[in-house]
Amino acid sequence: MFGTTVDERRAFAILDRFVDAGGTWIDTANCYSFWADPSGFGGQSETLLGRWLARRPGVRDRVAISTKVGCEPLEAGRFPETAEGLGAQTIKSGIEQSLRRLGTDRVELYWAHKDFRRTPVEETVGAFGELVNAGLVKRLGCSNFAAWRMERSRRAAADAGVVGYTAVQQHHTYLRPRPGTRPTVVHRFGFYEDELRSYVESHDDIAVWAYTPLLSGAYTRADKPLAEEYDHPGTVARLAALDTVAAELGTTRNHVVLAWMTGDRPSVMPIVGPSTVEQLDEAIAAMEVTLTPEQRSLLDSKA
């Protein structure tokens, strides 16, 4: 939300604190945050990050940046029906615009933000591969993809002799949604579900990233109720397990969720989106929390 609901002063303070604490990855997207801007279009987050980098000499070499293409609306107020998609020209112009806003000559990771099935995967992976060959992008990833679509894309890239996706970014948290529900906060294929997890486990070259791991504060804040898809008995059992482990460690639900995620096998990188320095500090503190095998077993045993 940098550049929209989080103004420049606060965003710069959060970014400064992140780097001072040893943070190295900053994740954004070309469409952030079209839904929060009166114009109905994105680019605000990348633009703010570009200003921050320009005013912090030397910081660009200390951080890795990932951004995304595919979800910027072509018409204000009409998403997802006018999402830009993953055509070759869209990918090419998308990276050019992102690099200009960020004020940099490359990004360390470029994401296909959302699967776009009207474009042949061969066209999409070919265009992404050209960016890697040109030195504009170091790695590629896909977000909100079904497992079979990721596999088809990786196979198409291999057949074409270009670099394929080596990272996947999905919605993932400790609580599980009620089966059969359409989530209100993620894309249709956005869950890190069992099939995708099995696919990742069988390929040691794929990194897993998780967005909205703390459910926008719902684990700890009374003013942030859980979404409807989490209204089922399994949630009660999982929250009780979280509270048990948090009490044993003298910490918070948020800390336990992040420790559970980063200590998983394969490990999952949680993407936190703090709107204050205090929220960032809480996430940083979670990196000092280590679960015992017994605590992890308790957490994993709840259906």
Side-chain angles (χ1 to χ4, degrees):
M1 305 303 290
F2 291 176
T4 49
T5 60
V6 178
D7 63 25
E8 183 169 300
R9 181 187 61 80
R10 267 197 297 156
F12 277 26
I14 292 167
L15 289 162
D16 288 343
R17 170 63 181 141
F18 177 70
V19 172
D20 288 345
T24 55
W25 269 107
I26 299 173
D27 183 70
T28 185
N30 67 332
C31 68
Y32 293 168
S33 297
F34 69 83
W35 59 91
D37 192 273
S39 72
F41 297 100
Q44 300 84 1
S45 175
E46 289 182 334
T47 299
L48 185 145
L49 284 168
R51 289 198 298 268
W52 175 73
L53 290 169
R55 298 176 191 178
R56 304 292 189 272
V59 165
R60 179 64 185 94
D61 293 330
R62 295 169 54 192
V63 297
I65 296 175
S66 59
T67 192
K68 311 177 189 73
V69 65
C71 283
E72 173 71 349
L74 299 178
E75 296 182 30
R78 297 190 60 203
F79 179 87
E81 61 267 32
T82 70
E84 62 188 344
L86 295 172
Q89 186 54 46
T90 297
I91 292 170
K92 181 176 183 293
S93 62
I95 193 63
E96 291 172 351
Q97 294 169 22
S98 288
L99 293 178
R100 183 172 62 251
R101 285 191 289 260
L102 290 165
T104 188
D105 60 354
R106 85 282 181 193
V107 293
E108 280 68 28
L109 178 53
Y110 200 36
W111 300 96
H113 201 163
K114 177 180 180 291
D115 195 8
F116 195 75
R117 299 188 180 181
R118 293 197 295 273
T119 301
V121 294
E122 293 80 7
E123 177 181 345
T124 296
V125 301
F128 276 125
E130 289 180 8
L131 301 185
V132 176
N133 292 339
L136 302 177
V137 174
K138 290 189 176 181
R139 288 176 57 201
L140 300 168
C142 58
S143 182
N144 305 300
F145 271 51
W148 70 272
R149 289 287 291 179
M150 185 177 188
E151 164 61 16
R152 178 171 292 184
S153 299
R154 280 164 55 93
R155 186 176 298 276
D159 290 344
V162 297
V163 174
Y165 301 135
T166 58
V168 60
Q169 182 179 146
Q170 305 288 107
H171 173 52
H172 184 45
T173 187
Y174 176 63
L175 295 184
R176 295 176 178 174
R178 187 171 61 252
T181 57
R182 284 290 300 276
T184 56
V185 296
V186 301
H187 299 278
R188 182 180 179 187
F189 299 103
F191 282 123
Y192 184 45
E193 33 74 29
D194 291 342
E195 184 178 10
L196 183 57
R197 182 185 178 113
S198 295
Y199 179 73
V200 169
E201 288 175 343
S202 65
H203 295 80
D204 58 11
D205 64 329
I206 301 176
V208 183
W209 296 43
Y211 63 82
T212 325
L214 299 178
L215 298 176
S216 302
Y219 282 109
T220 57
R221 292 174 56 178
D223 62 326
K224 296 281 189 176
L226 289 168
E228 183 180 356
E229 57 264 27
Y230 296 106
D231 184 13
H232 60 86
T235 291
V236 177
R238 288 211 145 203
L239 290 178
L242 275 182
D243 288 337
T244 296
V245 174
E248 290 176 355
L249 295 172
T251 189
T252 68
R253 285 178 175 178
N254 284 348
H255 284 177
V256 175
V257 170
L258 294 177
W260 171 81
M261 191 172 294
T262 57
D264 200 6
R265 294 292 180 271
S267 181
V268 177
M269 182 186 292
I271 305 169
V272 294
S275 57
T276 66
V277 171
E278 290 74 21
Q279 290 174 357
L280 174 62
D281 282 341
E282 183 188 20
I284 292 171
M287 298 301 95
E288 301 300 321
V289 175
T290 301
L291 304 179
T292 67
E294 294 75 19
Q295 289 167 339
R296 180 168 293 278
S297 178
L298 172 65
L299 294 168
D300 290 340
S301 69
K302 302 304 176 182

